Amino acid sequence: MAGNLTTGRAEDLPANANGKSADNNSIVVCFGELLIDFVPTVGGVSLAEAPAFKKAPGGAPANVAVGVARLGGSSAFIGKVGDDEFGHMLADILKQNNVDNSGMRFDHSARTALAFVTLKADGEREFLFFRHPSADMRLHESELDINLIKQAKIFHYGSISLIEEPCKSAHLAAMNIAKRAGSILSYDPNLRLPLWPSSEAARTGIMSIWDQADLIKVSEDEIKFLTGGDDPYDDNVVMKKLFHPNLKLLVVTEGSEGCRYYTKVFKGRVPGIKVKPVDTTGAGDAFVSGLLSSLASDLKLFEDEERLREALNFANACGALTVTQRGAIPAMPMKKAVIDALTKFAAS
């Protein structure tokens, strides 16, 4: 699940040894939440029925940062955790995975966020969050590492950081800094309805920054939610309600079935890679990391359909491999494993 999780203090990290990869020209900077997931030691039970829980590092933007680094790319994470054992453990996990964690901040009064998550027997995920408030919600605009944001070739974020102030203002400021610096803005809404005050607040909040993104990844369920129940498989729904004039690429993930893609010029579908799932946690984040790692080294993907399809096939394989292991960060695949899986799949 969570592998060998060792704790470490931020002050122990050498100034330039925060996991920076050599190629900073193609760095993917991920902004948002980093937390501890507690997952049952057995599958197919509700949270109340779970006999025990195991801790695993989590938080979608952090998962993506680790995923990019595992694939040989350069990545960084910006966000806030508590000045507590869990917060320092998470900072150390990013460092161990070659993610630049110099943009992390530590809150002295709020704790690192906790989430209890389980996949019930009926296939539905159940969440219970402890963030009242948690440190990630308390990141201030003044705490942003502006130089790190300006380096981003791709600036990636979700919507959870839009729920509460002061983090919301910090998020909007970081997006503006990245946009002005010429970064590609990448958005995965990653809907977590229990964290929002209401469904309407979630819909409004998620859509409030929709037209600023260059790249958006959504799931079928998120399309249904954001459009008020429209058919997520209808291309007309997607293009009329979710595609916007500044968008370079919209990707709709369909789990094991693969994904669909939409640009101003072309659209299509890339089938998924069939595996036996063990835990679907982090699959979407692994998909995003696969796509962003390809995009960071080749921005022409937006215009070349053949190269885009190759990148999406690679991203599908990243997602597929992740569900064959428990946990999110521990399951993020290395580049060789993805290439081997694609070779095996092509030969079958």
Side-chain angles (χ1 to χ4, degrees):
M1 286 271 271
N4 295 316
L5 305 182
T6 56
T7 57
R9 299 280 170 191
E11 54 269 27
D12 295 336
L13 307 184
N16 268 331
N18 290 310
K20 287 192 180 181
S21 300
D23 183 11
N24 265 6
N25 292 328
S26 58
I27 190 166
V28 177
V29 177
C30 301
F31 176 95
E33 66 279 2
L34 174 57
L35 52 110
I36 302 285
D37 283 334
F38 283 92
V39 285
T41 51
V42 297
V45 294
S46 69
L47 292 175
E49 293 164 343
F53 295 88
K54 192 167 183 178
K55 69 179 186 296
N63 293 343
V64 172
V66 170
V68 168
R70 289 256 177 98
L71 295 168
S74 176
S75 68
F77 175 78
I78 292 176
K80 200 172 194 183
V81 292
D83 186 14
D84 51 43
E85 286 296 317
F86 284 150
H88 292 288
M89 180 195 88
L90 291 168
D92 203 51
I93 286 168
L94 292 187
K95 182 191 169 194
Q96 290 166 11
N97 282 282
N98 295 319
V99 175
D100 179 350
N101 67 6
S102 61
M104 282 184 71
R105 302 292 179 257
F106 296 84
D107 196 291
H108 300 293
S109 55
R111 296 294 189 198
T112 300
L114 307 179
F116 288 78
V117 57
T118 186
L119 189 67
K120 295 192 289 186
D122 61 4
E124 284 298 307
R125 278 202 289 180
E126 183 183 8
F127 291 94
L128 182 61
F129 295 96
F130 286 78
R131 49 200 312 269
H132 306 286
S134 54
D136 60 290
M137 300 154 68
R138 292 166 57 102
L139 179 69
H140 289 262
E141 184 178 341
S142 60
E143 295 176 299
L144 293 173
D145 188 331
I146 292 170
N147 289 331
L148 181 57
I149 296 168
K150 284 180 176 177
Q151 287 177 39
K153 189 164 191 179
I154 300 171
F155 185 71
H156 177 73
Y157 47 89
S159 69
I160 289 172
S161 41
L162 295 170
I163 299 173
E164 297 271 357
E165 293 287 4
C167 188
K168 179 181 176 180
S169 291
H171 180 141
L172 297 175
M175 277 175 56
N176 287 333
I177 293 165
K179 192 77 168 177
R180 287 200 305 271
S183 305
I184 295 287
L185 297 191
S186 165
Y187 185 22
D188 177 1
N190 196 39
L191 176 65
R192 292 289 178 266
L193 209 46
L195 294 180
W196 291 86
S198 66
S199 293
E200 193 49 48
R203 201 174 286 114
T204 303
I206 288 169
M207 296 306 292
S208 68
I209 58 169
W210 197 264
D211 61 355
Q212 296 180 57
D214 299 294
L215 163 63
I216 296 174
K217 171 253 168 192
V218 283
S219 69
E220 303 152 290
D221 289 343
E222 286 164 346
I223 292 177
K224 204 177 287 185
F225 174 77
L226 293 172
T227 60
D230 286 355
D231 181 1
Y233 301 101
D234 186 336
D235 288 347
N236 290 325
V237 167
V238 174
M239 291 304 286
K240 283 180 182 172
K241 294 202 173 181
L242 298 179
F243 202 90
H244 66 75
N246 302 319
L247 198 54
K248 293 180 170 68
L249 175 64
L250 176 66
V251 178
V252 179
T253 53
E254 300 179 341
S256 62
E257 296 303 312
C259 65
R260 306 197 306 275
Y261 58 89
Y262 303 84
T263 73
K264 290 188 183 92
V265 182
F266 48 76
K267 65 182 185 207
R269 192 172 172 279
V270 179
I273 292 172
K274 299 288 189 249
V275 292
K276 189 174 181 182
V278 173
D279 177 12
T280 58
T281 307
D285 301 328
F287 175 92
V288 171
S289 66
L291 178 56
L292 296 188
S293 66
S294 298
L295 188 60
S297 56
D298 183 11
L299 289 180
K300 295 278 191 239
L301 289 179
F302 288 135
E303 294 139 33
D304 186 324
E305 186 170 12
E306 189 178 338
R307 275 146 81 181
L308 175 62
R309 289 183 65 86
E310 285 175 13
L312 291 171
N313 194 38
F314 182 83
N316 280 343
C318 291
L321 284 177
T322 301
V323 307
T324 63
Q325 294 184 51
R326 292 198 184 276
I329 282 178
M332 293 286 158
M334 304 292 276
K335 190 170 188 176
K336 185 182 183 303
V338 180
I339 292 168
D340 287 349
L342 286 170
T343 306
K344 185 178 174 185
F345 182 69
S348 63

